[in-house]
């Protein structure tokens, strides 16, 4: 073994969940937040010292943000690496309990920004040009805030309100057990087995039990969803906001016209995806695709999935990154050499994968469970893409590192595409090519159909919830209708309780945890297409784009670095065309198997 399978957390804070260094830092954070709050209260707009005072304030805020991020990343890492670490759970609470004070101080500053006249603000911003976009966002938010006291009450109640409902969801899910053969599977185990099993019977049986497990507790999930989103909608209403798309659009720094242009273009391109799904079903000996078969591997002839040891994956990723960007390759190599990655396949780990930033160390950490499949090589590349995005931004003010979810997936998807195409190029037989193309197209199906269904569902659910509580049966009906629309009636069966099974509907701090995925995917495809045209010269252009991801609207970002208008269909269609090209190849290669 060349590279470690376990990550190094001790270089962040030594001692795991008993770390004295972490406790000291949490203490320090509390003092800093207190100091900051006092400085915000003392800050007086329109004075001779406002410029110097604001500079000092921003410097302190920068330190606090880095501390919160560093402590938060470490605590999250402990919790993901060992779900039984009770101390780590308490640490989460300890950090969260400091957030209302921090939010209170931030609210105060936003309100002070809001008190500037447009002219005075414009004048002040001349001295803050690099962060003017972000400070002006704060001013905009400040104009919509209630008084400090009211905001503080909401933020405090939120801990046992919206945020609590989200945690409650995790508690219910942790108790879900799915009986299969002689085992009791956790939700995560059942899901992985259901999606990856090459045996259609296993998938079918598991899916039936899976649906059953979520529907058995539908009333509890419906309560949770109703109250979580009810809290959110009431919070909007208290701020005079009726349009539930306002926050998600502002948060992702896009306008409604962009979002509409994206979904309309996606909607016009459903047929080839349906054809693909039907063809894949035929390869499984069925007429039409069933829900549980969507992600099943296509195994034709003598095909055996290629395995990559962790070391092989590492070398493969580094070599292929290098063809697009030597800087990306260097960063990936650094991650492997310095044990930034928790990859071991062992019980007691959380499912899923993520990349987290450590702004003080200027390093990242990646969490995943590596099982040697091509899919996992792709996941590893994906997370390293995130790490690269952070890496090119370390020298920027932290305000300008705070990119939104829609562009957060740009670098990761880009990295994933590089590796997907590289594995495809190395394929030896048609069977292998078909298998790999399917994996690639599955991604597109997820983005253009599954995520589309989530978006349609959530829009309809919010609209209904604004009028009152929504019964579990109605939520389920809404889900099926959304899936039928998003899949253009292309499936034989649907997943009625998907709304309960999908964690993303129960995230408290980010609304509409769906469309940014599709956005990021298409945005990244567009950039990838350009990288292929431009060759090595693209690296600097790519880095320049990544560095701007948090300091302008996404429309401006696309205009400045790609010269495209996101309100027009062309840009979106160009990305979709790359997928259609893959589908075409898939259809040609599989023709002979369905005669
Ligand atoms: Zn990602």
């Amino acid at each position: 073994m060349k590279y470690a399978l376990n990550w190094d957390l001790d270089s962040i804070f030594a001692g795991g969940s008993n770390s004295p260094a972490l406790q000291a830092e949490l203490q320090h954070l509390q003092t800093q937040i207190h100091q900051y709050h006092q400085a915000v209260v003392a800050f007086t707009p329109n004075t001779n010292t406002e410029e110097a005072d604001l500079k000092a304030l921003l410097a302190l805020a920068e330190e606090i943000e880095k501390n919160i991020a560093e402590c938060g990343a470490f605590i999250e890492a402990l919790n993901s690496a060992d779900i039984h670490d009770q101390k780590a759970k308490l640490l989460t609470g300890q950090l969260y309990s400091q957030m209302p004070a921090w939010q209170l101080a931030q609210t105060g500053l936003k309100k002070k920004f809001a008190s500037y006249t447009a002219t005075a603000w414009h004048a002040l911003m001349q001295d803050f040009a690099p962060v003017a976009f972000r400070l002006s966002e704060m001013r905009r938010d400040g104009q919509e805030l209630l008084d400090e006291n009211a905001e503080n009450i909401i933020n405090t109640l939120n801990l046992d309100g919206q945020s609590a409902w989200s945690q409650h969801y995790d508690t219910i899910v942790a108790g879900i057990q799915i009986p299969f053969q002689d085992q009791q599977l956790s939700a995560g185990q059942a899901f992985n087995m259901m999606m990856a099993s090459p045996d259609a019977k296993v998938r079918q049986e598991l899916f039936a039990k899976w649906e059953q497990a979520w529907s058995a507790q539908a009333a509890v999930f419906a309560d949770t969803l109703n109250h979580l989103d009810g809290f959110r909608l009431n919070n909007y209403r208290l701020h005079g906001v009726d349009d539930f798309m306002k926050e998600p659009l502002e948060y992702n720094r896009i306008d409604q016209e962009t979002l509409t242009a994206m979904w309309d273009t996606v909607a016009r391109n459903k047929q080839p995806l349906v054809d693909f799904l039907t063809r894949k079903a035929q390869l499984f000996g069925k007429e039409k695709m069933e829900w549980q078969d969507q992600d099943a591997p296509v195994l034709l002839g003598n095909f055996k999935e290629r395995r990559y040891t962790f070391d092989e994956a590492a070398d493969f990723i580094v070599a292929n990154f290098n063809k697009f960007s030597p800087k990306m390759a260097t960063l990936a190599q650094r991650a492997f050499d310095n044990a930034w990655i928790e990859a071991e396949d062992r019980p007691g780990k959380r499912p899923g994968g993520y990349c987290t930033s450590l702004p003080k160390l200027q390093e990242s950490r990646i969490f995943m469970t590596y099982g040697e499949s091509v899919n996992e090589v792709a996941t590893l590349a994906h997370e390293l893409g995130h790490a690269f995005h952070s890496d090119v931004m370390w020298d920027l003010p932290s305000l300008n590192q705070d990119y939104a979810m829609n562009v957060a997936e740009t670098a990761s998807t880009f990295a994933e595409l590089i590796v997907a195409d590289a594995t495809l190029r190395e394929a030896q037989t048609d069977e292998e090519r078909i298998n790999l193309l399917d994996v690639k197209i599955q991604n597109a199906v997820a983005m253009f159909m599954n995520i589309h269904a989530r978006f349609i569902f959530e829009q309809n659910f919010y609209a209904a919830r604004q009028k009152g509580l929504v019964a579990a049966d109605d939520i389920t009906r809404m889900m099926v209708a959304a899936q039928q629309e998003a899949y253009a009636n292309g499936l034989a069966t649907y997943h009625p309780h998907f709304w309960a099974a999908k964690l993303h509907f129960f995230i408290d701090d980010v609304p509409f945890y769906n469309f940014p995925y599709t956005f990021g995917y298409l945005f990244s495809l567009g950039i990838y297409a350009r990288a292929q045209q431009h060759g090595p010269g693209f690296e600097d252009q790519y880095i320049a784009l990544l560095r701007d991801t948090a300091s302008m609207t996404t429309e401006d970002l696309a205009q400045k670095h790609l010269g495209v208008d996101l309100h027009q269909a062309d840009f979106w269609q160009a990305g979709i065309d790359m997928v259609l090209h893959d589908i075409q190849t898939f259809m040609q290669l599989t023709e002979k198997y369905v005669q």
Side-chain angles (χ1 to χ4, degrees), residues 443-484:
N443 245 331
V445 171
M447 296 298 161
F448 302 159
M449 293 174 136
N450 191 319
I451 305 266
H452 197 191
R454 301 181 204 182
F455 175 73
I456 296 167
F457 164 78
E458 217 162 19
Q459 280 213 311
N460 293 335
F461 177 76
Y462 276 110
R465 182 67 188 84
Q466 274 181 330
K467 299 192 187 99
L469 292 169
V470 190
D473 286 350
D474 290 328
I475 303 177
T476 304
R477 267 190 288 276
M478 257 178 222
M479 190 75 243
V480 175
Q483 288 171 351
Q484 285 167 334

Side-chain angles (χ1 to χ4, degrees), residues 360-591:
K360 292 170 82 175
L361 280 182
Q362 303 204 339
E363 291 180 1
S364 292
R365 289 295 181 275
I366 288 168
F367 178 83
M368 70 176 295
T369 297
Y370 187 76
E372 304 199 339
S373 75
V374 181
N375 259 331
E376 284 146 348
V377 181
T379 304
L380 186 53
H382 178 106
E383 302 307 342
L384 285 163
H386 282 304
F388 182 65
H389 196 169
S390 300
D391 192 64
V392 301
M393 291 184 124
W394 290 135
D395 63 316
L396 298 174
S398 40
L399 277 174
N400 286 358
Q401 294 182 33
D402 191 14
Y403 48 77
M405 184 178 164
N406 61 334
V407 289
E409 293 304 327
T410 304
S412 54
T413 311
F414 184 85
E416 208 179 321
L417 285 167
I418 291 175
V419 165
D421 278 351
T423 45
L424 202 49
R425 268 197 311 275
E426 292 207 346
Q428 305 289 317
T429 63
D430 275 357
E431 282 84 6
E432 192 177 0
R433 257 168 231 121
I434 290 169
N435 176 277
L436 292 171
L437 272 170
D438 168 60
V439 172
K440 237 185 126 189
I441 301 166
Q442 274 176 38
N443 245 331
V445 171
M447 296 298 161
F448 302 159
M449 293 174 136
N450 191 319
I451 305 266
H452 197 191
R454 301 181 204 182
F455 175 73
I456 296 167
F457 164 78
E458 217 162 19
Q459 280 213 311
N460 293 335
F461 177 76
Y462 276 110
R465 182 67 188 84
Q466 274 181 330
K467 299 192 187 99
L469 292 169
V470 190
D473 286 350
D474 290 328
I475 303 177
T476 304
R477 267 190 288 276
M478 257 178 222
M479 190 75 243
V480 175
Q483 288 171 351
Q484 285 167 334
E485 183 185 340
Y487 282 84
N489 293 307
L491 300 187
T493 54
Y494 294 91
H495 184 348
H497 289 88
F498 183 75
W499 63 269
K502 194 76 215 168
L503 162 85
H504 291 178
F505 296 122
F506 298 86
I507 290 174
D508 58 334
D509 51 356
V510 184
F512 275 86
Y513 207 86
N514 39 60
F515 71 81
Y517 275 114
T518 309
F519 185 101
Y521 177 72
L522 280 168
F523 195 63
S524 198
L525 277 178
I527 296 170
Y528 185 63
R530 243 153 239 263
Q532 284 179 317
Q533 288 159 11
H534 289 234
F538 190 71
E539 184 181 42
D540 289 340
Q541 215 182 319
Y542 178 52
I543 292 172
L545 178 145
L546 291 179
R547 284 172 63 82
D548 270 348
T549 41
S551 33
M552 57 189 69
T553 67
T554 313
E555 285 85 6
D556 286 349
L557 182 75
Q559 189 58 252
K560 178 177 171 187
H561 293 281
L562 305 169
V564 294
D565 179 359
L566 296 185
H567 291 168
Q568 304 298 321
D570 335 4
F571 176 72
W572 306 110
Q573 189 62 49
I576 295 171
D577 283 344
M578 294 181 73
V579 175
L580 299 188
H581 178 110
D582 281 343
I583 293 181
Q584 211 174 19
T585 314
F586 181 88
M587 297 305 265
Q588 283 160 0
L589 289 173
T590 51
E591 190 79 54

Side-chain angles (χ1 to χ4, degrees), residues 158-201:
N158 178 52
L159 291 178
D160 291 299
Q162 193 177 6
S163 174
W165 284 109
S166 177
Q167 286 166 31
H168 181 58
Y169 175 79
D170 295 340
T171 308
I172 316 170
V173 173
I176 292 254
Q177 290 206 321
I178 291 154
F180 181 67
Q181 290 162 355
D182 341 314
Q183 314 167 58
Q184 291 290 337
L185 303 177
S186 70
Q189 286 173 315
F191 182 81
N192 289 343
M193 201 187 277
M194 177 170 82
M195 297 321 265
S197 172
D199 184 340
K201 284 219 174 67

